[in-house]
Amino acid sequence: MNNEDFWLIKHFLKLKTVASDWAYGLVPTLNKYSANLSNRIGMVVDVPFVKKASSQISIALSKHERANALLITDLDIGLDMIMDSFLNRFASKTVSKKIRNKKVVALDFNLLISAAKEKTFFEETLLKILSEASSAGNTILYI
């Protein structure tokens, strides 16, 4: 490997250090108002619908570089159960290679709202969080 190839993003992603987060850039506002769920193992769920929904999320997120998944369910089906099932798949590395090196973060709206002294601060901070997550490119944002 020559010196120029060393600085490519794909080499930093192989490292299990701080460099894998820095390869896409710093996201200080996102880190302040969110929690990293990438290594968290969720509750084990054996409901067929939940397993199907989590696999559909994995497929949808791995199809395109800038993919979004929107979950709309009935009131009696918990979105947290679906997310826990997806986190189990993510932690066990049974998701596609395109999303395996990404990180899953949950936005803490309570913290964001309590830090906002006025409406404009809340709106500006939320837009900044979304732009940081978008520009980083390695983030799956759970709101």
Side-chain angles (χ1 to χ4, degrees):
M1 174 181 354
N2 63 22
N3 198 16
E4 292 175 9
D5 290 341
F6 177 77
W7 295 104
L8 295 175
I9 288 179
K10 66 181 181 179
H11 295 295
F12 282 113
L13 292 176
K14 291 177 185 176
L15 301 173
K16 295 296 179 194
T17 60
V18 177
S20 62
D21 286 338
W22 289 358
Y24 287 100
L26 295 174
V27 286
T29 310
L30 180 63
N31 289 339
K32 183 177 180 180
Y33 294 107
S34 66
N36 191 350
L37 303 178
S38 298
N39 298 326
R40 191 186 113 197
I41 297 177
M43 178 179 61
V44 177
V45 180
D46 286 335
V47 181
F49 170 78
V50 172
K51 287 183 177 181
K52 181 180 176 186
S54 69
S55 68
Q56 288 175 344
I57 291 171
S58 176
I59 291 168
L61 292 176
S62 62
K63 277 190 177 181
H64 301 289
E65 192 67 30
R66 298 211 177 256
N68 297 312
L70 176 65
L71 300 175
I72 301 172
T73 64
D74 295 331
L75 293 176
D76 58 343
I77 298 173
L79 294 175
D80 289 335
M81 286 175 43
I82 296 171
M83 196 60 191
D84 282 340
S85 177
F86 175 73
L87 287 173
N88 286 338
R89 292 175 54 114
F90 195 82
S92 64
K93 305 290 187 194
T94 57
V95 294
S96 70
K97 290 181 182 178
K98 284 187 175 182
I99 62 174
R100 199 171 288 164
N101 288 327
K102 295 185 183 266
K103 63 180 181 179
V104 181
V105 294
L107 186 61
D108 188 359
F109 257 103
N110 293 332
L111 180 62
L112 182 61
I113 291 170
S114 65
K117 294 183 175 93
E118 47 192 52
K119 183 180 176 185
T120 56
F121 176 80
F122 173 77
E123 293 170 350
E124 290 171 359
T125 308
L126 183 60
L127 288 174
K128 190 172 182 180
I129 288 170
L130 294 176
S131 68
E132 282 182 1
S134 176
S135 65
N138 67 337
T139 305
I140 298 172
L141 187 61
Y142 171 56
I143 299 175

